[in-house]
Amino acid sequence: GLSLTTIYYLRISATNSAGALWSPQTMAFTPRLIPIPPVRIGNLIGWWKFDEGAGTAAADSSSEGMNGTVVGDPQWVNGKFGKGLDFDGNDRVAVAAYSQVNGLLENSVSFWLNHESDGNHYVLSRDGFSRIETRAINRMRVRWSLDGGWRSQHYLPNNSIPLNTWTHVLHSRNAGETKIYVNGALQFTGNNTQTTIDTNTQTLNLGWRSGTG
């Protein structure tokens, strides 16, 4: 690859239809990094980094102040960036009385995960209906509780979530369409004619759903 501090020269020559040389230019350039835009905290309604590395606190880095509590015995491990939590299905991070998604027609959820076995594993859940989970054949299901029950359900293709590697998932929902991206690549597009997310103040569980792993 190119080095960031090195000056490189590029020459492009072309001829027109009459065979005459056109624009024998030489350009000099130095590669540079393009900064990643900062996260706009004011637009977030929850951001749990799991970067504490120890203890029972999982701070919310958004402006909402919805800090979570580590329940059970998940292991603090090295994550994709900094630290992370390794859930075994019997533990979780609980965010009590989470109402920030109430009434939303448009919303996005993104996360990094690294799952070690095929099957049903919950990324997040609320109210028994709204949930994001991995399923058999290394795929993913997204469900939202709308109108008092699950009304919005979408599946990723089989083998879209690889095992034993960090994978980024983004689920985006608006008034007419749902999209799911895996590592920046669009994997699913579907119609979304449902209404707003149900209103309640139940606990948001990260890494777990009641009665399951």
Side-chain angles (χ1 to χ4, degrees):
L2 303 181
S3 299
L4 294 178
T5 59
T6 302
I7 299 176
Y8 293 89
Y9 297 90
L10 174 67
R11 183 170 183 174
I12 301 175
S13 298
T15 56
N16 60 22
S17 58
L21 187 64
W22 175 79
S23 186
Q25 299 283 339
T26 299
M27 295 180 290
F29 68 94
T30 300
R32 65 183 181 88
L33 292 176
I34 299 176
I36 299 175
V39 176
R40 296 181 180 178
I41 303 297
N43 293 344
L44 300 180
I45 56 174
W47 183 16
W48 298 274
K49 299 180 183 179
F50 297 165
D51 60 358
E52 287 79 5
T56 59
D60 176 14
S61 295
S62 77
S63 59
E64 298 293 319
M66 298 302 295
N67 299 320
T69 300
V70 177
V71 179
D73 189 30
Q75 299 301 300
W76 290 100
V77 297
N78 292 326
K80 175 65 177 179
F81 305 102
K83 294 297 182 179
L85 280 170
D86 185 1
F87 300 102
D88 64 6
N90 298 309
D91 37 45
R92 59 184 166 134
V93 167
V95 182
Y98 188 74
S99 60
Q100 273 67 10
V101 295
N102 289 349
L104 291 183
L105 183 63
E106 300 181 350
N107 64 287
S108 296
V109 179
S110 67
F111 51 88
W112 286 95
L113 82 161
N114 185 340
H115 69 139
E116 300 173 345
S117 61
D118 194 14
N120 295 8
H121 306 287
Y122 286 82
V123 177
L124 63 84
S125 67
R126 190 191 79 144
D127 62 41
F129 293 104
S130 297
R131 67 186 73 158
I132 296 178
E133 58 190 311
T134 60
R135 304 284 291 179
I137 325 178
N138 297 327
R139 58 180 176 163
M140 179 161 284
R141 179 170 70 174
V142 178
R143 288 169 51 160
W144 289 108
S145 176
L146 311 162
D147 301 328
W150 63 266
R151 298 287 187 272
S152 177
Q153 177 169 250
H154 305 292
Y155 281 95
L156 281 178
N158 293 345
N159 298 310
S160 56
I161 307 295
L163 293 176
N164 300 307
T165 186
W166 285 104
T167 302
H168 185 264
V169 178
L170 168 65
H171 168 267
S172 178
R173 172 180 177 268
N174 60 38
E177 191 173 54
T178 289
K179 292 183 178 181
I180 305 176
Y181 297 82
V182 177
N183 292 328
L186 182 62
Q187 294 289 330
F188 175 88
T189 302
N191 293 328
N192 184 36
T193 59
Q194 288 76 19
T195 56
T196 58
I197 296 175
D198 283 349
T199 297
N200 65 59
T201 56
Q202 295 192 34
T203 297
L204 174 69
N205 295 300
L206 307 175
W208 182 84
R209 175 176 176 257
S210 178
T212 64

